[in-house]
Amino acid sequence: SNIVLMTIVSFVSGLGSGVTGPIVKATLQNITLPTSRGLAFALLNTFDDFGRGLGPVFVAMLIVQMGGRRQAFNVGVLGWIFCGLFNLLVFFTVEKDEQKMQAILSQEVARRVVEPQKKNS
């Protein structure tokens, strides 16, 4: 029946959307340099807040334009689908990005260790 399908979709959607924030933040932490991490998180939070504030306005305009809540919310849900697809694409690059970050940090640590030794010799 229709109520069973809606319940299943709602349950799966809740599971999927609940983990997005922590996954994005952990990934961002692992793939940005410590010197630019603050800027990266500031941008993430700024756009997240814009989405929370403007999302309802956008859906309200869609309700008026489309003549109903169901059609408007279906369009709104497409945004979540696109976000999920982008998160899936990150899965294919995140390991390489983390390795690159670790290599950069290792080089920086090695440089900081070698420089004082050269000054002392």
Side-chain angles (χ1 to χ4, degrees), residues 28-43 101 104-105 108-109 111-112:
L28 194 59
Q29 173 92 13
N30 290 338
I31 64 169
T32 55
L33 286 169
T35 55
S36 61
R37 199 168 286 152
L39 176 62
F41 275 97
L43 287 170
M101 180 56 51
I104 291 170
L105 291 175
E108 181 66 22
V109 167
R111 184 184 64 79
R112 289 182 183 191

Side-chain angles (χ1 to χ4, degrees), residues 32-106:
T32 55
L33 286 169
T35 55
S36 61
R37 199 168 286 152
L39 176 62
F41 275 97
L43 287 170
L44 170 70
N45 289 320
T46 298
F47 284 105
D48 189 40
D49 289 344
F50 271 124
R52 290 176 201 218
L54 295 177
V57 173
F58 177 69
V59 172
M61 289 188 309
L62 285 175
I63 290 170
V64 171
Q65 293 295 320
M66 301 183 95
R69 294 173 60 90
R70 178 174 287 180
Q71 298 92 335
F73 279 100
N74 286 340
V75 171
V77 167
L78 285 176
W80 280 97
I81 292 171
F82 286 125
C83 288
L85 291 174
F86 283 121
N87 282 339
L88 180 62
L89 292 175
V90 167
F91 169 79
F92 296 107
T93 64
V94 72
E95 189 173 340
K96 188 171 81 171
D97 293 338
E98 286 177 350
Q99 290 170 354
K100 183 178 177 182
M101 180 56 51
Q102 291 299 319
I104 291 170
L105 291 175
S106 295

